[in-house]
Amino acid sequence: MITFLEDFSREVGPVMSALLATAFTWLLTALGASLVFFFKEIKRSVFDTMLGFTGGVMIAASFWSLLAPSIKQSEEMFPDYPWLPAAIGFLLGGLFIFGLDKLTPHLHINFGKEESEGVSTKWHKSTLLLLAITLHNIPEGLAVGVLFGAAAHGADGATITAAIALAIGIGIQNFPEGMAVSMPLRRNGVSRRKSFWYGQLSAVVEPVAGVLGAVAVVHMQNVLPYALSFAAGAMIFVVVEEVIPETQRDKYTDWAVLGFMGGFTIMMILDVALG
């Protein structure tokens, strides 16, 4: 199956591959959100475990799928300073999401309305929750697109199978993300249909970011190590600023840590085994 996907990706090219891969991650978000038609809420212990799992996947993907290839590529471009592009891109990625975080009104999942962040607004809580997950999904889509673009250039450490593995890992952790949006909305009185709509809509930004990332790398090969580490920095910022704090607001912190360990392990296995 992986061989078929690899051959298909070569045939359609990196941009279309990025679009299809991020459409897959979007679909899994929608599948997770669709559970709102069957359940009104989930146990907080399960919820925090799934959030921890999401953080583990993102941290593992940031290193094995993005930073490691960035450093390998930098060794060829800057043999005396192989760490420089990775460091610059990583910091810029974090600062990019930091800027969006400060400017975009949003509300983290387990937080009260009075704890909303970004520019002050009177928007409804459901809109703020949607924007929070949307910010979360931008670096995920970007990472998939950049890696497909890097694989098309034959960058050392970046392969099509690694990009496929990343898309699978992001897709797996997107399933609980869809639930993480739709379930709280339903619990707050939003209809099942609207809860599902908002849940899947949170990931619509992933195909957009994925295509932009692939196009940028394909047409500007010199930015490749910077782009890879940029996506990593963006994902790390999201995990530390958003995902982890959300898991530490109740008594199930140990479950969240176990979920993190599980997500990290699964993404590590996927990347090493397939990449």
Side-chain angles (χ1 to χ4, degrees), residues 47-88:
F47 192 79
D48 286 345
T49 302
M50 291 190 304
L51 283 177
F53 180 90
T54 293
V57 169
M58 294 177 73
I59 292 290
S62 295
F63 176 73
W64 272 281
S65 299
L66 300 168
L67 280 175
S70 172
I71 293 171
K72 286 185 178 181
Q73 186 74 6
S74 299
E75 289 174 350
E76 300 176 4
M77 299 174 63
F78 303 94
D80 294 330
Y81 307 99
W83 48 268
L84 185 60
I88 292 174

Short mmCIF file of all heavy atoms in Angstrom, two decimals, residues 47-88:
data_model
loop_
_atom_site.label_atom_id
_atom_site.label_comp_id
_atom_site.label_asym_id
_atom_site.label_seq_id
_atom_site.Cartn_x
_atom_site.Cartn_y
_atom_site.Cartn_z
N PHE A 47 -10.84 12.70 27.30
CA PHE A 47 -10.57 13.94 26.58
C PHE A 47 -9.13 14.40 26.78
O PHE A 47 -8.42 14.72 25.82
CB PHE A 47 -11.55 15.01 27.08
CG PHE A 47 -11.58 16.25 26.24
CD1 PHE A 47 -12.29 16.28 25.05
CD2 PHE A 47 -10.93 17.39 26.66
CE1 PHE A 47 -12.33 17.43 24.29
CE2 PHE A 47 -10.96 18.54 25.90
CZ PHE A 47 -11.67 18.56 24.71
N ASP A 48 -8.68 14.44 28.04
CA ASP A 48 -7.31 14.88 28.32
C ASP A 48 -6.27 13.90 27.77
O ASP A 48 -5.19 14.31 27.34
CB ASP A 48 -7.12 15.05 29.83
CG ASP A 48 -7.81 16.30 30.36
OD1 ASP A 48 -8.18 17.16 29.55
OD2 ASP A 48 -7.98 16.42 31.59
N THR A 49 -6.60 12.61 27.79
CA THR A 49 -5.69 11.62 27.22
C THR A 49 -5.52 11.86 25.73
O THR A 49 -4.40 11.78 25.20
CB THR A 49 -6.22 10.19 27.47
OG1 THR A 49 -6.38 9.98 28.86
CG2 THR A 49 -5.26 9.16 26.91
N MET A 50 -6.62 12.16 25.04
CA MET A 50 -6.55 12.40 23.60
C MET A 50 -5.77 13.68 23.28
O MET A 50 -5.01 13.73 22.31
CB MET A 50 -7.95 12.48 23.01
CG MET A 50 -8.69 11.15 23.01
SD MET A 50 -10.23 11.19 22.06
CE MET A 50 -11.09 12.55 22.85
N LEU A 51 -5.96 14.71 24.11
CA LEU A 51 -5.18 15.93 23.91
C LEU A 51 -3.69 15.66 24.11
O LEU A 51 -2.85 16.17 23.36
CB LEU A 51 -5.65 17.02 24.88
CG LEU A 51 -6.96 17.73 24.54
CD1 LEU A 51 -7.31 18.72 25.64
CD2 LEU A 51 -6.87 18.45 23.21
N GLY A 52 -3.36 14.87 25.13
CA GLY A 52 -1.97 14.50 25.35
C GLY A 52 -1.41 13.73 24.16
O GLY A 52 -0.27 13.97 23.73
N PHE A 53 -2.21 12.82 23.61
CA PHE A 53 -1.82 12.06 22.43
C PHE A 53 -1.49 13.00 21.27
O PHE A 53 -0.48 12.82 20.57
CB PHE A 53 -2.96 11.12 22.03
CG PHE A 53 -2.69 10.28 20.83
CD1 PHE A 53 -2.09 9.03 20.95
CD2 PHE A 53 -3.04 10.72 19.56
CE1 PHE A 53 -1.83 8.25 19.82
CE2 PHE A 53 -2.79 9.95 18.43
CZ PHE A 53 -2.18 8.71 18.57
N THR A 54 -2.34 14.00 21.08
CA THR A 54 -2.11 14.99 20.02
C THR A 54 -0.76 15.67 20.20
O THR A 54 0.01 15.83 19.25
CB THR A 54 -3.23 16.05 20.04
OG1 THR A 54 -4.46 15.42 19.66
CG2 THR A 54 -2.93 17.18 19.09
N GLY A 55 -0.45 16.09 21.43
CA GLY A 55 0.83 16.74 21.69
C GLY A 55 2.01 15.82 21.41
O GLY A 55 3.02 16.26 20.85
N GLY A 56 1.89 14.56 21.77
CA GLY A 56 2.97 13.61 21.52
C GLY A 56 3.25 13.43 20.05
O GLY A 56 4.42 13.39 19.62
N VAL A 57 2.20 13.32 19.25
CA VAL A 57 2.36 13.18 17.80
C VAL A 57 3.07 14.40 17.22
O VAL A 57 4.00 14.29 16.41
CB VAL A 57 0.99 12.98 17.11
CG1 VAL A 57 1.13 13.11 15.59
CG2 VAL A 57 0.42 11.61 17.46
N MET A 58 2.65 15.58 17.65
CA MET A 58 3.21 16.80 17.09
C MET A 58 4.68 17.00 17.47
O MET A 58 5.49 17.45 16.65
CB MET A 58 2.38 18.00 17.55
CG MET A 58 0.96 18.00 17.00
SD MET A 58 -0.05 19.38 17.61
CE MET A 58 0.68 20.76 16.71
N ILE A 59 5.03 16.65 18.71
CA ILE A 59 6.44 16.79 19.13
C ILE A 59 7.32 15.82 18.35
O ILE A 59 8.40 16.19 17.85
CB ILE A 59 6.57 16.52 20.64
CG1 ILE A 59 5.90 17.64 21.46
CG2 ILE A 59 8.05 16.40 21.04
CD1 ILE A 59 6.61 18.96 21.42
N ALA A 60 6.89 14.56 18.25
CA ALA A 60 7.68 13.56 17.52
C ALA A 60 7.82 13.94 16.05
O ALA A 60 8.90 13.84 15.47
CB ALA A 60 7.03 12.18 17.66
N ALA A 61 6.73 14.40 15.44
CA ALA A 61 6.77 14.80 14.03
C ALA A 61 7.70 15.99 13.84
O ALA A 61 8.40 16.07 12.82
CB ALA A 61 5.36 15.14 13.55
N SER A 62 7.73 16.89 14.80
CA SER A 62 8.57 18.08 14.68
C SER A 62 10.04 17.71 14.57
O SER A 62 10.79 18.34 13.81
CB SER A 62 8.36 19.00 15.89
OG SER A 62 7.04 19.50 15.92
N PHE A 63 10.44 16.68 15.31
CA PHE A 63 11.86 16.29 15.25
C PHE A 63 12.14 15.37 14.06
O PHE A 63 12.90 15.71 13.16
CB PHE A 63 12.32 15.62 16.53
CG PHE A 63 13.74 15.14 16.44
CD1 PHE A 63 14.78 16.05 16.46
CD2 PHE A 63 14.04 13.80 16.26
CE1 PHE A 63 16.11 15.63 16.33
CE2 PHE A 63 15.35 13.37 16.12
CZ PHE A 63 16.39 14.28 16.16
N TRP A 64 11.51 14.19 14.06
CA TRP A 64 11.87 13.18 13.05
C TRP A 64 11.48 13.59 11.64
O TRP A 64 12.23 13.34 10.69
CB TRP A 64 11.25 11.83 13.40
CG TRP A 64 12.11 11.02 14.30
CD1 TRP A 64 13.21 10.28 13.96
CD2 TRP A 64 11.99 10.88 15.72
NE1 TRP A 64 13.78 9.71 15.08
CE2 TRP A 64 13.05 10.05 16.17
CE3 TRP A 64 11.08 11.38 16.66
CZ2 TRP A 64 13.21 9.70 17.50
CZ3 TRP A 64 11.24 11.04 17.99
CH2 TRP A 64 12.30 10.22 18.39
N SER A 65 10.34 14.22 11.47
CA SER A 65 9.87 14.54 10.12
C SER A 65 10.37 15.88 9.61
O SER A 65 10.43 16.09 8.39
CB SER A 65 8.34 14.54 10.08
OG SER A 65 7.81 13.28 10.41
N LEU A 66 10.74 16.80 10.51
CA LEU A 66 11.03 18.16 10.07
C LEU A 66 12.43 18.65 10.47
O LEU A 66 13.21 19.05 9.61
CB LEU A 66 9.97 19.11 10.65
CG LEU A 66 8.53 18.80 10.21
CD1 LEU A 66 7.53 19.58 11.04
CD2 LEU A 66 8.35 19.11 8.73
N LEU A 67 12.75 18.64 11.75
CA LEU A 67 14.04 19.18 12.17
C LEU A 67 15.22 18.34 11.69
O LEU A 67 16.24 18.88 11.23
CB LEU A 67 14.09 19.32 13.70
CG LEU A 67 13.39 20.55 14.28
CD1 LEU A 67 13.41 20.49 15.81
CD2 LEU A 67 14.05 21.84 13.79
N ALA A 68 15.11 17.03 11.81
CA ALA A 68 16.21 16.16 11.37
C ALA A 68 16.52 16.34 9.88
O ALA A 68 17.69 16.53 9.50
CB ALA A 68 15.90 14.70 11.71
N PRO A 69 15.51 16.31 8.98
CA PRO A 69 15.80 16.57 7.56
C PRO A 69 16.34 17.98 7.32
O PRO A 69 17.17 18.19 6.44
CB PRO A 69 14.44 16.38 6.88
CG PRO A 69 13.66 15.51 7.79
CD PRO A 69 14.12 15.88 9.17
N SER A 70 15.85 18.96 8.11
CA SER A 70 16.33 20.32 7.95
C SER A 70 17.83 20.41 8.24
O SER A 70 18.59 21.04 7.49
CB SER A 70 15.56 21.25 8.90
OG SER A 70 16.13 22.54 8.91
N ILE A 71 18.27 19.75 9.30
CA ILE A 71 19.69 19.78 9.67
C ILE A 71 20.53 19.05 8.63
O ILE A 71 21.62 19.51 8.25
CB ILE A 71 19.88 19.17 11.07
CG1 ILE A 71 19.22 20.07 12.13
CG2 ILE A 71 21.36 19.00 11.39
CD1 ILE A 71 19.15 19.48 13.51
N LYS A 72 20.03 17.91 8.12
CA LYS A 72 20.77 17.18 7.09
C LYS A 72 20.92 18.00 5.82
O LYS A 72 21.98 18.02 5.19
CB LYS A 72 20.06 15.86 6.78
CG LYS A 72 20.21 14.82 7.87
CD LYS A 72 19.58 13.49 7.45
CE LYS A 72 19.77 12.43 8.53
NZ LYS A 72 19.18 11.13 8.13
N GLN A 73 19.86 18.69 5.44
CA GLN A 73 19.92 19.56 4.27
C GLN A 73 20.88 20.71 4.49
O GLN A 73 21.60 21.12 3.59
CB GLN A 73 18.52 20.09 3.95
CG GLN A 73 18.42 20.89 2.67
CD GLN A 73 18.49 20.04 1.42
OE1 GLN A 73 18.51 18.81 1.52
NE2 GLN A 73 18.57 20.67 0.27
N SER A 74 20.92 21.23 5.70
CA SER A 74 21.79 22.37 6.02
C SER A 74 23.26 21.98 5.97
O SER A 74 24.12 22.81 5.69
CB SER A 74 21.45 22.90 7.42
OG SER A 74 20.12 23.36 7.47
N GLU A 75 23.56 20.71 6.23
CA GLU A 75 24.95 20.26 6.19
C GLU A 75 25.54 20.40 4.80
O GLU A 75 26.73 20.63 4.63
CB GLU A 75 25.03 18.81 6.66
CG GLU A 75 24.76 18.64 8.15
CD GLU A 75 24.69 17.18 8.56
OE1 GLU A 75 24.66 16.31 7.66
OE2 GLU A 75 24.66 16.90 9.78
N GLU A 76 24.70 20.27 3.78
CA GLU A 76 25.17 20.42 2.40
C GLU A 76 25.30 21.89 2.02
O GLU A 76 26.22 22.29 1.32
CB GLU A 76 24.20 19.72 1.45
CG GLU A 76 24.04 18.23 1.71
CD GLU A 76 23.00 17.61 0.80
OE1 GLU A 76 22.48 18.33 -0.08
OE2 GLU A 76 22.72 16.40 0.95
N MET A 77 24.36 22.71 2.50
CA MET A 77 24.34 24.12 2.12
C MET A 77 25.30 24.96 2.96
O MET A 77 25.92 25.90 2.46
CB MET A 77 22.91 24.66 2.27
CG MET A 77 21.90 23.96 1.39
SD MET A 77 20.19 24.49 1.71
CE MET A 77 20.28 26.21 1.25
N PHE A 78 25.41 24.63 4.25
CA PHE A 78 26.27 25.39 5.17
C PHE A 78 27.10 24.40 6.00
O PHE A 78 26.81 24.17 7.18
CB PHE A 78 25.43 26.26 6.10
CG PHE A 78 24.53 27.23 5.39
CD1 PHE A 78 23.22 26.90 5.11
CD2 PHE A 78 25.01 28.47 4.99
CE1 PHE A 78 22.38 27.79 4.46
CE2 PHE A 78 24.19 29.37 4.33
CZ PHE A 78 22.88 29.03 4.05
N PRO A 79 28.12 23.81 5.41
CA PRO A 79 28.89 22.78 6.12
C PRO A 79 29.53 23.26 7.42
O PRO A 79 29.73 22.47 8.34
CB PRO A 79 29.96 22.37 5.09
CG PRO A 79 30.00 23.48 4.11
CD PRO A 79 28.64 24.06 4.06
N ASP A 80 29.84 24.54 7.50
CA ASP A 80 30.47 25.07 8.72
C ASP A 80 29.44 25.41 9.80
O ASP A 80 29.77 25.45 10.99
CB ASP A 80 31.30 26.32 8.40
CG ASP A 80 32.50 26.00 7.51
OD1 ASP A 80 33.01 24.87 7.62
OD2 ASP A 80 32.90 26.88 6.72
N TYR A 81 28.22 25.70 9.38
CA TYR A 81 27.16 26.09 10.33
C TYR A 81 25.86 25.34 10.02
O TYR A 81 24.84 25.96 9.68
CB TYR A 81 26.90 27.60 10.27
CG TYR A 81 28.14 28.44 10.43
CD1 TYR A 81 28.79 28.98 9.32
CD2 TYR A 81 28.66 28.69 11.71
CE1 TYR A 81 29.92 29.75 9.48
CE2 TYR A 81 29.80 29.47 11.87
CZ TYR A 81 30.43 29.99 10.76
OH TYR A 81 31.56 30.76 10.91
N PRO A 82 25.86 24.01 10.09
CA PRO A 82 24.67 23.24 9.71
C PRO A 82 23.46 23.49 10.61
O PRO A 82 22.33 23.20 10.22
CB PRO A 82 25.15 21.79 9.82
CG PRO A 82 26.26 21.84 10.82
CD PRO A 82 26.95 23.15 10.57
N TRP A 83 23.70 24.06 11.77
CA TRP A 83 22.62 24.32 12.70
C TRP A 83 21.89 25.63 12.42
O TRP A 83 20.77 25.85 12.90
CB TRP A 83 23.17 24.38 14.13
CG TRP A 83 24.38 25.26 14.26
CD1 TRP A 83 25.69 24.87 14.16
CD2 TRP A 83 24.40 26.68 14.44
NE1 TRP A 83 26.53 25.96 14.29
CE2 TRP A 83 25.76 27.08 14.46
CE3 TRP A 83 23.41 27.65 14.59
CZ2 TRP A 83 26.14 28.41 14.62
CZ3 TRP A 83 23.79 28.98 14.76
CH2 TRP A 83 25.15 29.34 14.77
N LEU A 84 22.51 26.52 11.65
CA LEU A 84 22.01 27.88 11.50
C LEU A 84 20.63 27.96 10.82
O LEU A 84 19.71 28.58 11.38
CB LEU A 84 23.02 28.74 10.74
CG LEU A 84 22.69 30.22 10.62
CD1 LEU A 84 22.57 30.85 12.00
CD2 LEU A 84 23.76 30.94 9.79
N PRO A 85 20.42 27.36 9.64
CA PRO A 85 19.10 27.44 9.02
C PRO A 85 18.01 26.82 9.88
O PRO A 85 16.89 27.36 9.96
CB PRO A 85 19.27 26.67 7.70
CG PRO A 85 20.73 26.73 7.41
CD PRO A 85 21.39 26.67 8.75
N ALA A 86 18.33 25.69 10.51
CA ALA A 86 17.33 25.03 11.36
C ALA A 86 16.95 25.92 12.54
O ALA A 86 15.78 26.03 12.90
CB ALA A 86 17.87 23.69 11.85
N ALA A 87 17.95 26.57 13.13
CA ALA A 87 17.68 27.43 14.28
C ALA A 87 16.86 28.66 13.87
O ALA A 87 15.89 29.03 14.55
CB ALA A 87 19.01 27.87 14.91
N ILE A 88 17.23 29.26 12.75
CA ILE A 88 16.51 30.45 12.29
C ILE A 88 15.06 30.10 11.93
O ILE A 88 14.11 30.77 12.34
CB ILE A 88 17.23 31.07 11.08
CG1 ILE A 88 18.57 31.66 11.50
CG2 ILE A 88 16.35 32.15 10.43
CD1 ILE A 88 19.41 32.18 10.35
#
